[in-house]
Amino acid sequence: MDDTPHSHALSLFLASTAHDMKNSISVLSGTLERLLADAATAQPASADEAPAAAHLPQMAHMLYQTRRLNDNLMQLLALYKQVGQPAYPFDVQPLPLGQLAEQVVELERVLLAARGIRLELDVDPELVWHLDEDLVVGVLSHAINNAIHYTRDTVRLAMHELDGWLELRVEDNGRGFPAAMLEAGAIAGRASAGGVNFLTNSTGLGLYFSAEVARMHRHRGCHGAVRLENGGRLGGGCFVLRLP
Amino acid sequence: MPPPASAPVPLLSAVPAKSAQVDWAAKHYLIVDDFIGVRQLLRESLRSLGARNIDQASSGGEAIGLLARTRYDVVLCDYNLGDGKNGQQVLEEARVRNLVNPSTVWLVVSAEKSVESVMGAAEHQPDAYLIKPITEGMLLTRLNRVWHKKQVFRPIDQACADKEYLRAARLCDAAIAAARLHELDLLRMKARLMERSGEPTRAREIYEQVLAQREYQWARAGLAKIRMANGEFEQARQVFQGVIAENRYYIDAYDQLAVAWQHLGKPEEACAVLESAARLSPNSVARQRNLGRLALKLGNVALAEKAFRKCIAVGEYSVMKTADAYLGLARVCGQKNDQKEALQLLLAAQRDFGQERPDVRLRAKITEGLVYHESGDHRRARLSADELEDMLRAAPERPDVPTCLELATLLFAAGGKDTPVELLCYVVRNNHDNPLLLDEVQRIFDKAHLADEGIVQIRGARKEAADLMNQGVLLWKTGKLDEAVAWTRNARQAVPNNQRILFNAAQILVSQLQQRGHDAALSAEAYAILHHVDSLLPGQQRFAQLMEQLGRLQPGREEGGEAAGREDGVVTAPDDTAEGK
């Protein structure tokens, strides 16, 4: 990596900008969630308030976009270690999958409800796995956020042990990934994805980030991986994260 | 195994309901964030949990003010707080000044994780981290998790606070059996307790047990620390370097690696390692101080200056700030022939630290003398030495060993003799069985061209201490317990910092209690001795064992469910190595 003072200053600047922006995004997404949650519980008292309900889909879309922004910023902050400061302190802890799923569900609940999308959970709640909770929650929530955008009405989150690996799946019943994305997913899953520039297309950063997160998880000479496929139990796109 | 038919699971029930539900509504909350929008958002989230008592602070200083007035149950604190104290410094100060209860839940809410606090380098760790943006559900999940974990650790933490490490370790075992989820954290705790109890072999077994499950770098580093304690510095060095190769942000491994290099006689390598650690994580007061000291020792004045200045800067808002940086920087200034700044720093050190640390006045005066001496101003160095001798005459208490040695060196250099010899004999009497230290004392005599006198003085002081020790052992062995108790009081006066003699004194008091029954005053005396020894050199096996014996003698202290100790009622003899070489 380029280690000149200039690049160092730039990465510091980028990181601190991203950091600062996260504060605003936090407030934005928090406020949107609150508004959406309130709107969902409040019964329209009179015909006057009915038009307010018409704005709900737009607000849900705003929340979706806010989430995307935040994901991007989180990825920038986590990945900027490659250029210089600040570093992400990778921190593996044992965690029951029930608690992992609970957090992902909590993050996505309002958006799912606002979009009228059903989330199927298929999780072995007592199974304990060793992982960096914040990174994995981030990857899964990003994947669900995507699935919400492409699914017809259902998203499925599955977490199971498979041949000594933890397989985390986010599936939808949309039209599936186009061929170019499946290919990008296959490359991202390989150990030597270094030569490919994921940052040139709009979905690349998320995939690159997920692959990086997977790769950071290592155990007895194995490291995690991601892949994209079509089909699964719901017949649409599937995002698969495997951790050793 | 095919996954079961995926019936939609009701949200928020993915985790089986825990035994006790926490009443989060009734708790007192403090929110610390410099961004008003975030504070409002967090307040709204807490209100949704039913919370009524919520205070807010927009800076670290304001937070400390509130913490000093109110006992909070939950603190949500950002890491970056603009100018002034950062979140880690607020946490450190709150813990050091006892502004929070052990049960207080401290959550760091931040846009990103900080390397320093996650990688085990920070002494005071928060209970959990939350990365922004956080939702109510996320907050509740983590609050509940921390609370449940605190319940598991509460009796263990209490035993640690009482310094009853072996009891705490047994409580860890009991907790592992009851709560498998926290097994790793409990094992880590137990390993540390074993280290603190001077039982590295048992700590090693625990680390190996962890590594058999999963490659945790803290367990690797733990093994290396034990090797280092065994004097296997080269092996320890290799392991620490392996840990860093695996995770180059594991800051604690750098600090340990530097210690290993120093033991291997390679201070330059140690210095380079500390320098790179300080680059990765510059905001540690302790690291910058260690770097400064080492650089000064190596004669790298420029690096020492940089480190000490950084140490002062990062310490400005920290409860961890230290007079060492001011004294060290004064030495640097002296070597750069800047007497003026050196003296200003010494004044600043006394002004900022003199209230809480009475020894700073003495140490500042020593540094002043060294600054004059090194810059060739022998007249002023002599004046400083005279003042120091007056100070020593006025106060019967002697400073710690490094200060004594530095003081003796200066006094010899300034042409004195009786006072430095007296100081060095004091050091020898209190450490009569520490050959490395005795060699160092001899070298100070050598440097003062008093080699032969040094040999005689050291031999005499060692014999005094050995005779005193033998006297106590003899009284105890011949069953003269009352006289032995009288001996302990005499010994504490004669050699207030001799660890072996003090351990024997504590042992004699324990024996008296075991044979004659409980006595609150004697028991308090024994605790005072043991706590003093622990402050001189923590992590000794005899400390843990005597604390254990003493703890069992307290009336009403029989806990149920705890495995009984091995040697109930067994009277152990004082350490007996009568020697008069």
Side-chain angles (χ1 to χ4, degrees):
Chain A
M1 270 295 154
D2 187 8
D3 232 2
T4 62
H6 176 72
S7 86
H8 184 66
L10 179 67
S11 73
L12 262 184
F13 170 75
L14 283 176
S16 68
T17 307
H19 181 99
D20 191 50
M21 280 154 63
K22 278 205 87 166
N23 275 330
S24 302
I25 304 273
S26 297
V27 175
L28 255 181
S29 78
T31 311
L32 279 168
E33 285 214 10
R34 182 160 305 286
L35 289 172
L36 278 165
D38 291 351
T41 50
Q43 298 293 326
S46 66
D48 298 350
E49 289 183 28
H55 297 306
L56 284 184
Q58 281 151 290
M59 276 164 59
H61 188 68
M62 278 164 69
L63 181 58
Y64 165 77
Q65 292 293 349
T66 317
R67 280 288 166 72
R68 266 181 53 85
L69 263 176
N70 182 69
D71 285 353
N72 287 344
L73 290 176
M74 188 184 87
Q75 291 156 9
L76 278 177
L77 282 170
L79 288 175
Y80 254 91
K81 72 178 200 306
Q82 306 231 321
V83 188
Q85 302 266 328
Y88 181 82
F90 184 63
D91 185 26
V92 170
Q93 304 280 349
L95 187 72
L97 296 185
Q99 292 193 17
L100 184 67
E102 188 182 12
Q103 293 179 66
V104 178
V105 168
E106 266 308 316
L107 272 171
E108 300 303 315
R109 181 158 57 160
V110 173
L111 186 57
L112 286 162
R115 289 286 184 101
I117 290 166
R118 210 169 71 100
L119 178 67
E120 282 183 16
L121 272 187
D122 180 4
V123 175
D124 187 353
E126 300 289 340
L127 179 63
V128 172
W129 211 266
H130 301 260
L131 40 81
D132 183 306
E133 181 180 12
D134 290 311
L135 286 182
V136 173
V137 166
V139 165
L140 292 177
S141 126
H142 183 75
I144 291 181
N145 218 30
N146 271 333
I148 288 173
H149 200 59
Y150 294 105
T151 189
R152 277 190 288 117
D153 56 10
T154 309
V155 174
R156 175 173 180 266
L157 173 62
M159 306 183 178
H160 289 284
E161 186 176 347
L162 204 69
D163 308 325
W165 291 67
L166 177 65
E167 190 167 283
L168 306 146
R169 302 180 67 94
V170 175
E171 305 178 345
D172 63 61
N173 61 354
R175 286 157 58 188
F177 294 108
M181 277 218 49
L182 288 178
E183 198 183 324
I187 295 167
R190 275 184 225 142
S192 56
V196 181
N197 188 357
F198 288 103
L199 308 176
T200 49
N201 76 49
S202 62
T203 48
L205 179 61
L207 204 50
Y208 176 68
F209 175 74
S210 304
E212 280 296 304
V213 168
R215 235 190 299 283
M216 283 183 204
H217 287 84
R218 274 178 294 178
H219 180 52
R220 307 222 192 286
C222 300
H223 58 74
V226 292
R227 67 170 193 271
L228 299 178
E229 57 188 45
N230 285 331
R233 290 175 78 90
L234 300 180
C238 312
F239 169 87
V240 187
L241 170 64
R242 274 165 63 85
L243 299 177
Chain B
M1 186 185 72
S6 53
V9 180
L11 302 182
L12 262 184
S13 69
V15 177
K18 289 275 169 23
S19 46
Q21 281 308 311
V22 193
D23 179 14
W24 293 113
K27 307 249 185 262
H28 278 74
Y29 294 83
L30 174 63
I31 297 169
V32 189
D33 200 303
D34 56 338
F35 194 45
I36 184 169
V38 172
R39 290 202 302 275
Q40 283 169 348
L41 199 69
L42 288 171
R43 195 187 55 203
E44 286 302 310
S45 296
L46 292 175
R47 289 230 170 110
S48 305
L49 302 182
R52 294 178 299 272
N53 302 307
I54 307 169
D55 288 338
Q56 299 180 42
S58 61
S59 72
E62 202 183 326
I64 290 292
L66 287 168
L67 284 161
R69 280 201 294 277
T70 309
R71 290 273 148 171
Y72 293 98
D73 302 302
V74 180
V75 180
L76 304 174
C77 184
D78 192 1
Y79 182 83
N80 292 63
L81 294 172
D83 294 336
K85 291 180 204 297
N86 66 32
Q88 181 66 32
Q89 290 171 333
V90 175
L91 169 61
E92 284 171 354
E93 184 158 347
R95 293 252 170 94
V96 169
R97 291 176 53 196
N98 282 320
L99 302 179
V100 287
N101 298 329
S103 60
T104 301
V105 172
W106 195 290
L107 300 183
V108 172
V109 180
S110 198
E112 74 221 287
K113 287 189 187 176
S114 96
V115 179
E116 182 106 58
S117 39
V118 176
M119 283 307 162
E123 191 185 342
H124 298 284
Q125 306 254 1
D127 295 307
Y129 299 85
L130 286 169
I131 298 186
K132 292 176 187 173
I134 57 165
T135 61
E136 270 161 53
M138 189 78 136
L139 184 60
L140 190 57
T141 306
R142 301 275 173 116
L143 278 175
N144 280 321
R145 188 197 296 175
V146 169
W147 191 83
H148 288 295
K149 189 171 167 187
K150 278 201 179 265
Q151 303 314 303
V152 172
F153 272 85
R154 195 162 57 180
I156 301 166
D157 290 339
Q158 186 55 53
C160 287
D162 297 338
K163 299 199 171 195
E164 297 190 34
Y165 302 128
L166 294 175
R167 190 166 74 90
R170 283 198 303 279
L171 289 168
C172 285
D173 285 334
I176 291 170
R180 302 298 294 185
L181 173 59
H182 299 298
E183 185 185 6
L184 271 179
D185 286 321
L186 287 162
L187 285 174
R188 187 176 188 175
M189 178 68 138
K190 192 180 162 192
R192 285 209 202 107
L193 287 164
M194 285 302 153
E195 286 172 17
R196 287 228 54 176
S197 306
E199 299 212 35
T201 317
R202 290 180 68 190
R204 197 185 66 215
E205 287 164 11
I206 298 166
Y207 288 131
E208 281 165 355
Q209 186 189 341
V210 169
L211 289 168
Q213 276 188 57
R214 196 93 190 180
E215 184 69 17
Y216 275 99
Q217 297 307 326
W218 55 261
R220 274 266 164 256
L223 281 182
K225 270 185 223 173
I226 290 167
R227 296 210 127 181
M228 196 141 78
N230 287 341
E232 299 164 34
F233 302 118
E234 173 55 24
Q235 289 94 329
R237 179 193 70 77
Q238 288 177 17
V239 179
F240 286 129
Q241 280 191 324
V243 169
I244 293 169
E246 275 296 308
N247 185 344
R248 61 181 283 255
Y249 300 110
Y250 197 97
I251 297 296
D252 195 37
Y254 291 76
D255 297 332
Q256 300 294 333
L257 178 59
V259 178
W261 275 125
Q262 272 181 284
H263 281 295
L264 286 165
K266 305 257 183 179
E268 286 87 0
E269 276 84 351
C271 193
V273 169
L274 278 184
E275 219 185 333
S276 43
R279 254 200 308 276
L280 279 172
S281 172
N283 294 324
S284 156
V285 171
R287 181 171 311 114
Q288 297 288 358
R289 180 197 58 204
N290 293 345
L291 178 58
R293 279 181 177 167
L294 191 51
L296 189 62
K297 212 164 148 187
L298 287 170
N300 187 341
V301 178
L303 182 60
E305 175 168 6
K306 200 175 134 206
F308 283 132
R309 286 198 193 282
K310 183 77 184 169
C311 187
I312 291 171
V314 297
E316 186 177 358
Y317 299 108
S318 166
V319 72
M320 306 296 204
K321 73 187 215 168
T322 159
D324 296 345
Y326 291 79
L327 302 180
L329 188 56
R331 293 286 299 276
V332 167
C333 291
Q335 300 199 357
K336 290 169 65 193
N337 260 325
D338 186 351
Q339 279 191 9
K340 196 166 158 239
E341 190 183 354
L343 296 181
Q344 279 168 356
L345 284 161
L346 294 176
L347 279 176
Q350 293 177 75
R351 184 192 63 215
D352 292 357
F353 300 92
Q355 296 289 330
E356 282 166 41
R357 300 288 310 267
D359 62 324
V360 166
R361 207 178 129 237
L362 185 74
R363 292 180 57 205
K365 189 52 79 180
I366 298 171
T367 309
E368 180 194 284
L370 287 170
V371 166
Y372 287 136
H373 180 70
E374 280 164 9
S375 56
D377 192 340
H378 297 299
R379 193 184 60 84
R380 283 213 175 84
R382 182 63 248 169
L383 286 175
S384 303
D386 289 344
E387 283 182 61
L388 281 164
E389 297 207 14
D390 287 344
M391 285 162 85
L392 285 175
R393 265 192 295 277
E397 294 230 338
R398 292 291 170 258
D400 63 8
V401 170
T403 310
C404 279
L405 296 185
E406 204 170 42
L407 181 49
T409 309
L410 171 70
L411 292 179
F412 273 142
K417 175 147 182 262
D418 292 349
T419 314
V421 168
E422 185 261 306
L423 271 172
L424 292 175
C425 285
Y426 166 87
V427 168
V428 171
R429 271 200 310 278
N430 282 286
N431 299 276
H432 72 287
D433 58 346
N434 181 341
L436 287 178
L437 187 59
L438 297 182
D439 287 348
E440 211 177 328
V441 170
Q442 181 64 49
R443 278 198 299 276
I444 294 174
F445 276 111
D446 294 351
K447 228 172 108 187
H449 307 293
L450 293 165
D452 292 342
E453 164 136 23
I455 294 170
V456 173
Q457 293 284 359
I458 291 174
R459 190 189 293 143
R462 283 191 74 192
K463 187 169 179 332
E464 261 180 72
D467 287 349
L468 183 64
M469 186 156 135
N470 292 341
Q471 204 187 342
V473 173
L474 189 67
L475 288 171
W476 187 85
K477 276 189 169 170
T478 50
K480 296 177 182 160
L481 263 187
D482 289 320
E483 283 166 86
V485 169
W487 171 87
T488 65
R489 289 163 192 161
N490 171 40
R492 284 176 73 187
Q493 281 225 310
V495 285
N497 296 321
N498 188 311
Q499 293 157 52
R500 281 193 52 207
I501 291 180
L502 290 176
F503 272 135
N504 279 0
Q507 182 73 68
I508 284 168
L509 296 182
V510 167
S511 295
Q512 175 88 343
L513 288 164
Q514 282 169 339
Q515 294 182 20
R516 307 265 168 91
H518 180 69
D519 177 324
L522 269 192
S523 176
E525 233 179 301
Y527 273 121
I529 295 173
L530 287 175
H531 285 140
H532 177 60
V533 182
D534 188 52
S535 73
L536 292 173
L537 184 66
Q540 300 188 75
Q541 197 173 15
R542 281 190 85 192
F543 172 78
Q545 289 168 347
L546 283 165
M547 285 296 282
E548 174 97 341
Q549 291 180 22
L550 204 46
R552 283 213 206 97
L553 290 168
Q554 301 310 302
R557 276 292 301 278
E558 291 307 316
E559 293 101 352
E562 221 183 290
R566 297 155 290 168
E567 50 208 343
D568 247 310
V570 175
V571 182
T572 21
D575 188 14
D576 180 8
T577 40
E579 50 170 334
K581 281 182 279 181

